């Protein structure tokens, strides 16, 4: 008669642990093989700086040269325009006049999201076309309470010279007309490398 091999429960648990841990290591090793740490200096991330931009956002909704086009109308003739969505390609100028020097474009959309007050969800890239920042962008996404004197929205990222950007934008209405055209002053504070 053969002798039964007696194994203590602790050895058995240890043996099972070894089997599963070696399988887990190979699975996790393969799963994260595409991730590695990188030295920030190799990406020119040497020192953060804060840059202030004072720009004028030209929202033209009237005429044949409109830069803001409504693609969805408001729901049930809402007084707050709730549900309307506009696509924008607005000029960013250095002065408040539409004829001022254009240094970039604000491209994206705004949607009316307030049932009881006029507030917009702003999703836009400030894409620069002039000077040192030509080809660079930063992204503004946030709530814009149109009736407030000053509206604050976050800057959540960027490209080019604004990689890893963060900060905030302050918007205030400079002028508007009865056609719906508006000039908005934007003071943007951008932390970047």
């Amino acid at each position: 008669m053969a002798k039964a091999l007696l194994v203590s429960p602790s050895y058995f648990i240890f043996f099972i642990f070894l089997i599963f841990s070696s399988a887990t290591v190979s699975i996790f090793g393969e799963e994260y093989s595409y991730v590695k740490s990188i030295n920030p200096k190799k990406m020119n991330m040497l020192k953060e700086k804060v840059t202030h931009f004072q720009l004028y956002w030209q929202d033209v909704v009237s005429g044949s040269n409109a830069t803001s086009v409504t693609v969805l109308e408001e729901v049930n003739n809402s007084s707050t325009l709730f549900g309307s969505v506009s696509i924008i390609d607005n000029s960013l100028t250095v002065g408040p006049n539409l004829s001022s020097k254009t240094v970039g474009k604000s491209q994206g959309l705004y949607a009316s999201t307030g049932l009881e007050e006029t507030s917009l969800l702003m999703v836009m890239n400030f894409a620069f076309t002039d000077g040192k920042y030509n080809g660079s962008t930063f992204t503004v996404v946030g709530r814009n309470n149109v009736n407030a004197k000053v509206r604050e929205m976050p800057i959540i990222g960027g490209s080019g010279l604004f990689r890893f950007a963060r900060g905030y934008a302050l918007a205030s209405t400079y002028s508007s007309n009865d056609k719906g055209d508006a000039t908005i002053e934007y003071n943007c504070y951008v932390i970047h490398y």
Side-chain angles (χ1 to χ4, degrees), residues 103-132:
V103 293
K105 295 286 193 151
S106 171
Q107 298 172 324
L109 61 90
Y110 55 83
S112 182
T113 55
L115 277 170
E116 297 172 3
E117 63 182 351
T118 306
S119 63
L120 304 173
L121 167 63
M122 308 294 290
V123 180
M124 56 190 170
N125 289 313
F126 280 24
F128 292 89
T129 57
D130 183 66
K132 174 182 176 179

Side-chain angles (χ1 to χ4, degrees), residues 5 9 31 55 63 81 86 96 99 118 125-126 131 138 145 147 161:
L5 181 61
E31 183 177 338
L55 302 164
L81 303 177
S86 295
S99 60
T118 306
N125 289 313
F126 280 24
F138 60 78
N145 180 358
N147 295 319
L161 293 177

Side-chain angles (χ1 to χ4, degrees), residues 120-183:
L120 304 173
L121 167 63
M122 308 294 290
V123 180
M124 56 190 170
N125 289 313
F126 280 24
F128 292 89
T129 57
D130 183 66
K132 174 182 176 179
Y133 299 104
N134 184 19
S136 297
T137 68
F138 60 78
T139 304
V140 178
V141 176
R143 180 177 186 267
N144 182 346
N145 180 358
V146 176
N147 295 319
K149 185 175 180 179
V150 178
R151 290 88 69 187
E152 181 177 338
M153 292 165 276
I155 294 169
I156 62 166
S159 66
L161 293 177
F162 300 117
R163 290 180 186 143
F164 299 103
R166 63 191 192 284
Y168 65 96
L170 300 174
S172 55
T173 303
Y174 182 83
S175 66
S176 62
N177 63 28
D178 56 355
K179 298 175 188 176
D181 301 334
T183 298

